Amino acid sequence: MPHFQAPRANIFLLTLFRLKIIQSIDFPASLLHALEWDSELGAHTDIVHFHFDCSLPPIASMTCNKYVWWNANT
């Protein structure tokens, strides 16, 4: 089982922070764009994103998205 490789995550994290913090794009959209732009990380890991929406208290909803790298040629 491969272990986490930090150098492969650097470009992904920098892209994600730039989209979210500097460009103020919401996190789910930032995550999608960062995964599209980083081919190194995508081929080596799946990402699970949990999102909680507490905009209507006391009811909270949770969304879970799993991003899986996929290539039609492999």
Side-chain angles (χ1 to χ4, degrees), residues 3-74:
H3 296 284
F4 178 71
Q5 298 176 4
R8 293 194 186 274
N10 287 343
I11 295 171
F12 168 75
L13 291 173
L14 288 173
T15 302
L16 185 62
F17 290 146
R18 179 179 52 83
L19 290 168
K20 176 60 183 150
I21 295 172
I22 296 173
Q23 296 181 359
S24 299
I25 299 174
D26 68 322
F27 188 79
S30 297
L31 184 59
L32 278 175
H33 290 300
L35 287 170
E36 288 173 359
W37 293 338
D38 187 6
S39 61
E40 289 290 321
L41 182 68
H44 297 281
T45 189
D46 298 339
I47 293 179
V48 178
H49 173 232
F50 293 95
H51 174 73
F52 295 93
D53 182 7
C54 299
S55 60
L56 297 171
I59 301 169
S61 65
M62 179 184 78
T63 305
C64 176
N65 295 313
K66 183 176 182 180
Y67 300 94
V68 179
W69 182 83
W70 181 79
N71 185 334
N73 298 322
T74 56

